[in-house]
């Protein structure tokens, strides 16, 4: 039953001001899970609510299984109840005046199913989310995680064509969030549903999504597999948002294919991957994840330099060092419980070129990108 | 040991303070209530016989319980209040939904209009609708006759009482349900919509069940207020001989010789019914509220009604017309017109028929000015004494560790469950047989009002006291100030807006109070509300209408001033007393 979702040139403008969603286009294949990732106010929830039919798009077209469901230009706007979509809300939105069973049964009531058919589907849905024994409990007696699973069962019981999830884990405590995160993917995949998932949590996005779409200021910046988003971020913002918190300013001196040379402030040369459009002479910021900096690399590896340790933070399972190198201060992380380099000492580090990404940008851009 | 010794004087003072408050509250609340009970259990007349504890027996109370007239009045009361409540729920819920959940134009105006009926004194509402809808001379019927329409309306009937009750007490349901709707997580409704439910089904299976506690509690409150209303059934029920408990109690005391003990017994029935309903309402309110489950601020959903929004607007305007505009117009016509007889529509607009005749006669009668003067005097005494007492109680209960403060709180809250009329009867029993002339003085009215409105005043003051952080006081203590100096220099200045608001609220409540005044006034202490009833019962329509307008203007000006002073805080409480 799951269907392909196609969004083309979606725009949504509230009252006056900047558009909340600005020319967003993507397609989710049947059975695929796509996660929209971005900071609050980036337009990801608005996009989701447009797909649900709870918001009316200003422009663009949304179609499900080839059939347009929102197309303002053509006057098409299917009400949510006819879209046959499932949705899990951030606040769970389980109805407190009903039992677990009544909550899950509610969507079936308007679908003209036989009594036996309804019962079977309710039992299946509750079994799928591991709530088989809770059918007759009032939902107010459940824990947050259980309520969220009731919401999930309710949204899947009628085999919707598409499942929408709006930050479904953000109201749970950290431990429960981890467990439910893994459960969610398993359950959705088992039901074979097409799913659109919205979150601001990178780890959640990586674990859950077949593909991740990173949004900012209403625009979709990159949509790709988690590995690609993490290893080949489309721009400085995507790199920063996914955790590349080191920025080394420099100027491109040469380019060969996907890689090139960058001269940094201290005159050294750094070999880095470059997206298209970065040409020799351009001012760039080279983004590096702290986890990708290698300590005491054997001679012969590229971008191998000596750095000075200026600060040290012991975190138990790992140690974070501030390193003065390439005319900048960057953070490097070494995994392990031992602290090996005291402040003031010199250490040899290597920055693998495939983990150094040079983006055309000014220093201010880079600073603005850094979360926290 | 030495510490204990040092604190002993403070403990003694706190104990004395609590004892003083308890004595005052006993005098104001417990003693009259006990005397009401005594009255209900005897068949003597305290004026003639004095008080005889040995005359107490259950038999006279049982006689009253088995009295057919009491059954008739009780039955009428239940029908009128149940019918009125049903109408109030339909109107209140509908307006709450329109204002919170739709895109009907001029929602702000509708929200304000929805609260207006609370400010119309019940007697004035009754008089207004008697002018409009009396079966023979009512203005509406005059128009129907001139228009050649056979059909007539008759407000002097049970359905008339139900209609006016429902119209004027809908705001209670509105207040509760509108805030519940506003605080409801919109995704609860969105989830239903996504699940495939139509908007209609969503309203009846999700929205209304979720706000059921608010609906029930608004329903119970409006029922309780209707139970204690005298003005509306007195005006509309008397001509058709439909007594309700309140009017029946007053009748009993107006007969010669007055049946004081029977009145006390019926008042006791009314009090028990009210108390039970108030307790039920508190239980519903304190019970689990569904709507606060998520506990965060929401942007309420607003349903696009399309062209239907003009229908909802039209209904709101009709409500405003029926509740405020029509009765006011009727009062204006009756007050300024020499004779209420209206031959045709043209005659209605014939300015020669209008004049200030009734106002001249109204103010020529010295009793009018005396009643206004008395009312203001009672209002000021009530506001000052009630305000000071409520501050003392509120501070003691919320801020100190004084002994027995729980009991002080409970006794001060008891009057919530006693209709004004019942307080009147209780004060009558408490003081009419006493020698020193307290009964019949202006003070008995004021003290009855202080007792009657104490719960509202204490609640309002406690709320503003609780906004003052405890540390502000503690800082003053650390600086070396004593308790009294701290109250004077820190608490009072900070709580002043709340105290001023509570006092003006008390003043307004006191000057519009009718129910308890009925049993406590003497010829020299007649107040406005009683005088208005007197004019009405004297059959002078013009005078009644003119005095109604005068009272509405006085109230309107005072409420306007109060709102300016308190920015609307008093709005919700004014109507509570009915």
């Amino acid at each position: 039953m799951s269907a392909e979702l196609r969004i083309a040139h979606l725009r949504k403008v509230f009252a006056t001001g900047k558009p909340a969603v600005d020319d967003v286009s993507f397609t989710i294949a049947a059975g695929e899970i796509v996660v929209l990732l971005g900071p609050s106010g980036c337009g990801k929830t608005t996009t989701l609510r447009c797909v649900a039919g709870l918001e009316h798009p200003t422009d663009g077209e949304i179609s499900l299984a080839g059939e347009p469901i929102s197309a303002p230009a053509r006057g098409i706007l299917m009400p949510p109840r006819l879209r046959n979509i499932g949705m899990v809300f951030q606040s769970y939105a389980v109805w407190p005046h009903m039992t677990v069973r009544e909550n899950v049964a509610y969507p079936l009531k308007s679908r003209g199913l036989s009594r036996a058919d309804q019962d079977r589907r309710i039992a299946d849905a509750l079994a799928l989310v591991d709530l088989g024994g809770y059918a007759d409990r009032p939902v107010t007696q459940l824990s947050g995680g259980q309520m969220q699973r009731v919401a999930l069962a309710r949204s899947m019981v009628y085999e919707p064509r598409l499942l929408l999830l709006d930050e479904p884990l953000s109201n749970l405590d950290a431990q429960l969030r981890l467990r439910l995160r893994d459960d969610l993917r398993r359950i959705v995949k088992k039901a074979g549903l097409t799913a659109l998932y919205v979150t601001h949590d990178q780890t959640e996005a990586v674990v859950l999504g077949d593909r991740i779409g990173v949004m900012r200021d209403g625009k979709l910046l990159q949509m790709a597999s988690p590995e690609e988003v993490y290893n080949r971020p489309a721009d400085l913002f995507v790199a920063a948002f996914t955790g590349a918190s080191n920025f080394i300013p420099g100027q491109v001196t040469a380019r060969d294919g996907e890689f090139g040379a960058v001269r940094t402030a201290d005159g050294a040369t750094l070999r880095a991957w470059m997206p298209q459009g970065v040409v020799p002479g351009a001012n760039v910021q080279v983004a590096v994840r702290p986890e990708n900096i290698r300590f005491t690399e054997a001679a012969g590896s590229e971008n191998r330099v000596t750095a000075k340790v200026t600060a040290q933070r012991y975190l138990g399972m790992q140690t974070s060092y501030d390193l003065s190198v390439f005319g900048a201060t960057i953070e490097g992380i070494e995994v392990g419980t031992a602290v090996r380099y005291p402040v003031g000492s010199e250490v040899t580090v290597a920055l693998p070129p495939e983990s150094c990404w040079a983006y055309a940008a000014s220093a201010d851009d880079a600073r603005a990108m850094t979360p926290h | 040991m030495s510490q204990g010794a040092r604190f002993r004087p403070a403990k003694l003072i706190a104990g004395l303070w609590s004892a003083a408050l308890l004595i005052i509250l006993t005098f104001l609340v417990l003693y009259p209530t006990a005397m009401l009970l005594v009255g209900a259990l005897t068949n003597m007349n305290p004026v003639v016989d004095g008080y005889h504890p040995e005359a107490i027996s259950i038999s006279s109370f049982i006689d009253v319980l088995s009295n057919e007239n009491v059954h008739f009045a009780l039955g009428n009361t239940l029908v009128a209040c149940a019918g009125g409540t049903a109408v109030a729920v339909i109107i209140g819920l509908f307006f709450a939904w329109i204002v919170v959940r739709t895109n009907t134009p001029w929602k702000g105006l509708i929200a304000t209009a929805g609260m207006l009926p609370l400010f119309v004194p019940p007697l004035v509402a009754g008089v207004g609708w008697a002018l409009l809808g009396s079966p023979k001379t009512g203005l509406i019927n005059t128009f129907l006759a001139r228009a050649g329409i056979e059909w007539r309306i008759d407000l002097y009937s049970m359905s008339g009482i139900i209609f006016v009750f429902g119209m004027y007490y809908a705001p209670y349901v509105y207040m509760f349900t509108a805030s519940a709707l506003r605080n409801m997580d919109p995704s609860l409704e969105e989830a239903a919509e996504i699940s495939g439910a139509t908007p209609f089904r969503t309203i009846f299976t999700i929205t209304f069940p979720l706000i059921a506690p608010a609906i029930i509690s608004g329903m119970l409150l409006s029922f309780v207020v209707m139970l204690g209303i005298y003005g509306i059934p007195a005006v509309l029920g008397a001509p058709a001989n439909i007594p309700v408990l309140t009017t029946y109690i007053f009748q009993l005391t107006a007969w010669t010789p007055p049946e004081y003990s029977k009145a006390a017994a019926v008042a006791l029935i009314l009090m028990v019914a009210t108390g039970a309903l108030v307790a039920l309402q508190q239980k519903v309110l304190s019970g689990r509220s569904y709507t606060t489950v998520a506990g965060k601020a929401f942007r309420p959903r607003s349903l696009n009604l399309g062209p239907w929004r003009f229908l909802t607007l039209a209904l709101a305007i009709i409500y405003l017309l029926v509740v405020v505009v029509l009765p006011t117009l009727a009062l204006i016509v009756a007050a300024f017109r020499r004779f209420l007889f209206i031959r045709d529509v043209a005659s209605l607009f014939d300015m020669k028929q209008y004049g200030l005749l009734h106002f001249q006669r109204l103010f020529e009668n010295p009793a009018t000015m005396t009643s206004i003067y008395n009312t203001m005097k009672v209002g000021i005494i009530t506001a000052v004494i009630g305000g000071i007492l409520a501050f003392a109680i509120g501070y003691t209960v919320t801020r100190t560790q004084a002994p027995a403060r729980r009991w002080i709180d409970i006794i001060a809250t008891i009057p919530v469950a006693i209709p004004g009329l019942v307080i009147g009867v209780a004060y009558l029993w408490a003081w009419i047989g006493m020698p020193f002339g307290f009964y019949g003085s202006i003070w008995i009215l004021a003290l009855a009002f202080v007792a009657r409105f104490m719960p509202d005043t204490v609640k309002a003051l406690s709320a503003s006291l609780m906004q003052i952080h405890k540390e502000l006081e503690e800082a003053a203590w650390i600086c070396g100030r004593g308790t009294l100096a701290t109250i004077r220099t820190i608490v009072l200045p900070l709580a002043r807006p709340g105290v001023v608001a509570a006092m003006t609220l008390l003043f307004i409540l006191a000057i519009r109070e009718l129910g308890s005044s009925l049993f406590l006034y003497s010829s020299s202490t007649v107040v406005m509300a009683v005088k208005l009833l007197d004019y009405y019962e004297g059959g002078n329509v013009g005078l009644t209408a003119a005095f109604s307008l005068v009272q509405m203007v006085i109230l309107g000006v005072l409420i306007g001033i109060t709102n300016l002073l308190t920015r609307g805080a008093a709005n919700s409480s004014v109507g509570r007393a009915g």
Side-chain angles (χ1 to χ4, degrees):
Chain A
M1 278 303 282
S2 41
E4 180 195 76
L5 174 73
R6 184 181 291 274
I7 295 176
H9 308 292
L10 182 69
R11 255 174 78 83
K12 171 70 188 174
V13 185
F14 288 108
T16 50
K18 281 205 315 186
V21 178
D22 193 1
D23 196 20
V24 165
S25 303
F26 62 91
T27 301
I28 309 180
E32 188 188 21
I33 304 178
V34 164
V35 179
L36 288 182
L37 174 69
S40 62
C42 71
K44 56 191 193 300
T45 295
T46 307
T47 305
L48 182 102
R49 288 173 64 85
C50 284
V51 175
L54 296 170
E55 300 287 357
H56 303 165
T58 312
D59 206 357
E61 198 165 313
I62 303 172
S63 33
L64 192 57
E67 174 203 12
I69 52 175
S70 287
R74 290 195 275 155
I76 297 172
L77 185 71
M78 189 189 275
R81 70 193 148 88
L82 302 179
R83 294 191 175 198
N84 202 11
I85 285 175
M87 180 160 172
V88 179
F89 292 82
Q90 187 175 6
S91 61
Y92 323 139
V94 293
W95 298 303
H97 60 302
M98 298 181 185
T99 63
V100 171
R101 182 195 305 281
E102 285 165 340
N103 261 283
V104 178
Y106 191 90
L108 298 177
K109 293 259 165 65
S110 47
R111 286 185 156 76
L113 293 167
S114 74
R115 186 76 215 191
D117 212 10
Q118 286 192 24
D119 287 346
R120 184 185 52 74
R121 286 200 191 205
I122 294 166
D124 286 353
L126 287 177
L128 192 63
V129 297
D130 267 340
L131 284 175
Y134 292 80
D136 295 311
R137 294 261 186 109
V139 290
T140 44
Q141 286 179 10
L142 301 182
S143 68
Q146 288 169 330
M147 281 202 226
Q148 194 54 280
R149 281 185 283 158
V150 173
L152 188 62
R154 183 180 66 189
S155 65
M156 299 191 350
V157 69
Y158 49 101
E159 290 168 11
R161 300 187 287 179
L162 170 70
L163 185 61
L164 304 174
L165 302 108
D166 183 10
E167 308 224 14
L169 303 179
S170 63
N171 278 342
L172 302 174
D173 64 63
Q175 266 194 325
L176 201 57
R177 194 164 11 185
L178 291 184
R179 237 193 32 229
L180 225 66
R181 188 181 70 192
D182 301 333
D183 285 353
L184 257 180
R185 184 173 164 91
R186 183 179 54 76
I187 293 169
V188 173
K189 278 294 174 194
K190 196 168 164 193
L193 285 169
T194 312
L196 179 58
Y197 188 109
V198 156
T199 184
H200 61 267
D201 183 310
Q202 302 98 306
T203 350
E204 227 171 275
V206 173
V207 176
L208 272 156
D210 294 323
R211 278 189 298 153
I212 297 176
V214 183
M215 287 187 73
R216 182 200 185 196
D217 293 342
K219 290 198 162 59
L220 183 63
L221 302 177
Q222 183 175 19
M223 173 151 311
S225 69
E227 291 89 337
E228 194 174 338
V229 170
Y230 265 68
N231 291 307
R232 287 288 175 268
D235 66 15
L236 198 56
F237 175 80
V238 178
F241 192 74
T242 53
S245 52
N246 294 320
F247 302 99
I248 303 165
Q251 195 175 35
V252 178
T253 51
R255 174 162 188 160
D256 55 288
E258 291 213 329
F259 289 84
V262 175
R263 190 172 58 243
T264 58
D266 64 347
T269 296
L270 184 61
R271 189 165 164 74
W273 173 82
M274 291 171 186
Q276 281 178 357
V278 177
V279 290
N283 285 320
V284 291
Q285 293 286 336
V286 180
V288 191
R289 298 183 68 92
E291 299 84 359
N292 283 341
I293 293 173
R294 305 221 178 117
F295 287 77
T296 57
E297 190 74 0
S301 52
E302 285 180 291
N303 293 341
R304 183 170 178 273
V305 288
T306 302
K308 192 176 167 136
V309 177
T310 58
Q312 173 214 86
R313 286 171 297 275
Y314 181 58
L315 303 171
M317 308 294 281
Q318 60 193 34
T319 308
S320 146
Y321 299 97
D322 279 358
L323 306 167
S324 181
V325 69
F326 291 122
T329 299
I330 62 173
E331 185 193 10
I333 284 175
E334 192 184 34
V335 178
T337 53
V339 188
R340 299 200 294 167
Y341 314 107
V343 174
S345 65
E346 295 206 323
V347 57
T348 308
V349 295
L351 284 61
E354 63 271 19
S355 301
C356 298
W357 315 310
Y359 302 100
S362 69
D364 287 344
D365 285 345
R367 238 168 272 129
M369 290 303 155
T370 322
H372 31 264
Chain B
M1 278 301 278
S2 67
Q3 269 210 336
R6 243 172 55 213
F7 279 119
R8 204 166 289 151
K11 266 193 177 157
L12 185 69
I13 290 169
L16 285 175
W17 171 249
S18 289
L21 281 180
L22 281 173
I23 289 169
I24 293 172
L25 284 172
T26 305
F27 171 79
L28 283 176
V29 180
L30 294 183
Y31 167 64
T33 315
M35 285 310 290
L36 180 75
L37 200 63
V38 169
L41 295 177
T42 59
N43 52 10
M44 62 190 179
N45 181 333
V47 185
V48 183
D49 311 327
Y51 299 115
H52 299 287
E54 69 276 9
I56 292 177
S57 85
I58 195 85
S59 65
S60 61
F61 185 61
I62 290 173
D63 282 351
V64 170
L65 283 184
S66 53
N67 184 315
E68 271 181 26
N69 291 334
V70 176
H71 294 171
F72 185 52
L74 181 64
N76 285 336
T77 306
L78 293 181
V79 172
C81 294
T85 303
V87 175
V89 166
I90 293 169
I91 297 173
L93 200 52
F94 182 68
F95 277 96
W97 182 74
I98 285 184
V99 168
V100 182
R101 284 301 159 85
T102 69
N103 65 339
T104 305
W106 299 345
K107 281 198 293 195
L109 179 81
I110 300 173
T112 317
M115 302 301 287
L116 274 180
L118 285 182
F119 301 108
V120 182
L123 182 60
V124 173
V127 170
W129 273 98
L131 290 171
L132 284 166
S134 72
K136 294 209 177 63
T137 54
L139 286 172
I140 293 176
N141 286 326
T142 309
F143 272 94
L144 289 175
R146 297 299 161 199
I149 299 167
E150 279 299 303
W151 184 75
R152 297 282 179 275
I153 66 162
D154 179 8
L155 266 279
Y156 289 167
S157 63
M158 180 56 87
S159 44
I161 298 176
I162 288 176
F163 165 77
V164 176
F165 265 175
M167 284 286 167
Y168 283 87
Y169 297 102
Y172 293 108
V173 181
Y174 169 85
M175 280 191 301
F176 279 87
T177 50
S179 78
L181 279 178
R182 221 169 259 129
N183 293 330
M184 192 173 138
D185 180 354
S187 55
L188 290 166
E189 286 169 298
E190 288 172 354
E193 226 178 306
I194 296 270
S195 299
T198 58
F200 189 77
R201 188 164 169 247
T202 306
I203 287 180
F204 284 96
T205 57
I206 305 292
T207 316
F208 286 167
L210 278 173
I211 59 165
I215 298 175
I216 293 170
S217 134
M219 213 166 90
L220 288 171
L221 180 60
S222 63
F223 194 98
V224 162
V225 172
M226 288 176 200
L227 267 184
I229 292 289
Y230 177 82
I232 291 169
V235 172
L236 300 178
N241 195 21
I242 307 173
V244 295
L245 287 179
T246 49
T247 53
Y248 184 61
I249 292 170
F250 184 60
Q251 259 178 32
L252 289 171
T253 62
W255 283 338
T256 359
E259 302 228 35
Y260 287 136
S261 68
K262 212 170 162 187
V266 180
L268 191 64
I269 298 172
L270 189 57
M271 187 174 107
V272 169
T274 308
L277 288 170
V278 168
L280 190 63
Q281 193 220 4
Q282 294 301 318
K283 198 162 177 260
V284 172
L285 271 183
S286 66
R288 192 177 171 76
S289 164
Y290 293 138
T291 50
T292 52
V293 167
K296 59 175 198 178
F298 303 110
R299 186 164 55 99
R301 271 155 53 86
S302 139
L303 187 69
N304 189 342
L305 292 178
W308 292 101
R309 68 186 190 278
F310 295 108
L311 177 72
T312 51
L313 176 65
L315 287 170
I317 291 172
I318 288 172
Y319 175 72
L320 192 61
L321 268 173
V322 167
V323 164
V324 181
V325 180
L326 276 185
T328 312
L329 280 180
L331 286 173
I332 290 174
V333 168
F336 287 95
R337 220 179 146 82
R338 291 195 174 86
F339 305 100
L340 197 53
F341 174 72
I342 293 170
R343 206 179 328 106
D344 48 38
V345 178
S347 141
L348 182 64
F349 296 101
D350 178 7
M351 280 306 137
K352 283 202 290 287
Q353 299 282 339
Y354 291 86
L356 292 172
L357 177 74
H358 298 305
F359 287 94
Q360 274 161 12
R361 280 183 46 214
L362 178 67
F363 289 107
E364 270 164 17
N365 186 345
T368 306
M369 284 317 289
T370 309
S371 77
I372 295 178
Y373 173 73
N374 282 339
T375 305
M376 295 302 148
K377 204 161 137 190
V378 172
I380 290 169
I381 297 175
T382 308
V384 171
I385 295 184
I388 293 171
L389 185 62
F391 182 83
I393 292 171
Y395 186 85
T396 308
V397 171
T398 57
R399 281 304 164 94
T400 68
Q401 302 295 315
R405 60 184 191 285
R406 284 251 319 139
W407 283 104
I408 293 170
D409 193 24
I410 290 171
I411 298 172
T413 316
I414 288 176
V416 143
I418 313 180
L421 202 100
V422 176
I423 292 207
V425 178
Y427 266 66
L428 178 141
W429 265 96
W431 302 108
I432 197 167
M434 293 286 179
F436 26 75
F438 178 54
Y439 184 85
S441 72
I442 204 108
W443 290 90
I444 192 169
L445 285 165
L447 292 188
F449 295 170
V450 167
R452 166 142 164 66
F453 301 121
M454 185 133 54
D456 295 285
T457 332
V458 171
K459 207 173 127 196
L461 269 176
S462 299
S464 66
L465 279 174
M466 270 184 286
Q467 286 171 357
I468 302 169
H469 202 286
K470 182 80 186 150
E471 284 175 6
L472 292 172
E473 265 180 275
E474 287 167 350
W477 296 342
I478 299 291
C479 292
R481 295 300 171 92
T483 307
L484 280 182
T486 304
I487 291 175
R488 190 169 46 79
T489 54
I490 306 292
V491 182
L492 259 183
L494 287 172
R496 197 170 53 204
V499 176
V500 170
M503 283 189 169
T504 37
L505 172 67
L506 253 182
F507 183 71
I508 289 169
L509 288 173
I511 64 171
R512 68 199 285 284
E513 173 68 5
L514 173 65
S516 38
S517 323
L518 280 175
F519 305 91
L520 303 175
Y521 72 91
S522 64
S523 54
S524 61
T525 62
V526 173
V527 289
M528 275 193 325
V530 174
K531 194 68 208 164
L532 178 62
L533 188 68
D534 190 37
Y535 283 139
Y536 178 76
E537 285 174 343
N540 195 323
V541 177
L543 219 52
T544 312
F547 202 24
S548 294
L549 283 182
V550 169
Q551 296 197 11
M552 274 174 79
V553 169
I554 292 176
L555 269 175
V557 168
L558 287 171
I559 290 170
I561 293 172
T562 312
N563 268 347
L564 278 182
L565 284 176
T566 65
R567 288 190 219 99
N571 272 13
S572 55
S573 323
V574 168
R576 185 156 191 326

